[in-house]
Amino acid sequence: MNSVGVIPAQWDLFIREGALEPFPSRKSDTILAVYTEYETDETGSYTFGIGTEIAPTDPLPAGMTSYCVAEGTYVVFTTRKGPVSEIVVEAWAYIWEWSKTHKRAFLTDFEVYDERCIDPANSQVDIYISVLE
């Protein structure tokens, strides 16, 4: 997770292409970054996607995929306020440390970018981590 990794490149593409424009019926302006289909844990392969919540009946444009957030127990980590590119990396570093003593489920994890992220220089993000009960 750094400025030249796959995830930052996906965010750049998402922003450049205005990927939410095809969804006029989206439920809100909240953006979700989803981590799912884990092969093993955070060191194995997984699927990463960026999008928004839509009704299950909304058609998807060609080339897009839908993901469902798995039912389960989640721990929510809320970042401090600051530049989004710093606070999310900082929070994940904390989560990886936290994971050494807590049992993650590796079902679906997701980040919530809501109205608190209007100013990228002063944002706050919630990160939901699936855990074993």
Side-chain angles (χ1 to χ4, degrees):
M1 190 175 263
N2 59 45
S3 63
V4 294
V6 172
I7 292 173
Q10 290 296 321
W11 275 106
D12 287 344
L13 183 62
F14 176 82
I15 292 165
R16 266 197 330 268
E17 292 189 357
L20 291 183
E21 296 306 318
F23 295 105
S25 62
R26 63 184 179 252
K27 291 187 174 185
S28 72
D29 289 333
T30 298
I31 296 172
L32 303 172
V34 178
Y35 303 78
T36 191
E37 299 175 348
Y38 285 94
E39 180 181 72
T40 54
D41 57 20
E42 74 271 11
T43 63
S45 295
Y46 57 87
T47 298
F48 174 76
I50 305 169
T52 191
E53 186 178 7
I54 62 170
T57 56
D58 283 357
L60 289 174
M64 292 196 174
T65 303
S66 67
Y67 297 98
C68 292
V69 173
E71 283 190 37
T73 303
Y74 288 84
V75 173
V76 182
F77 295 87
T78 300
T79 68
R80 66 177 174 84
K81 288 186 178 181
V84 73
S85 60
E86 288 178 16
I87 60 172
V88 174
V89 172
E90 181 181 280
W92 275 105
Y94 178 83
I95 292 165
W96 292 327
E97 196 60 36
W98 174 88
S99 297
K100 292 177 181 178
T101 57
H102 296 81
K103 299 286 186 193
R104 290 179 59 189
F106 296 102
L107 296 173
T108 304
D109 302 319
F110 58 99
E111 302 163 357
V112 177
Y113 297 83
D114 56 21
E115 67 278 351
R116 297 170 297 163
C117 297
I118 290 172
D119 177 4
N122 189 32
S123 292
Q124 190 169 40
V125 175
D126 290 329
I127 302 175
Y128 288 71
I129 301 297
S130 60
V131 294
L132 298 173
E133 293 188 42

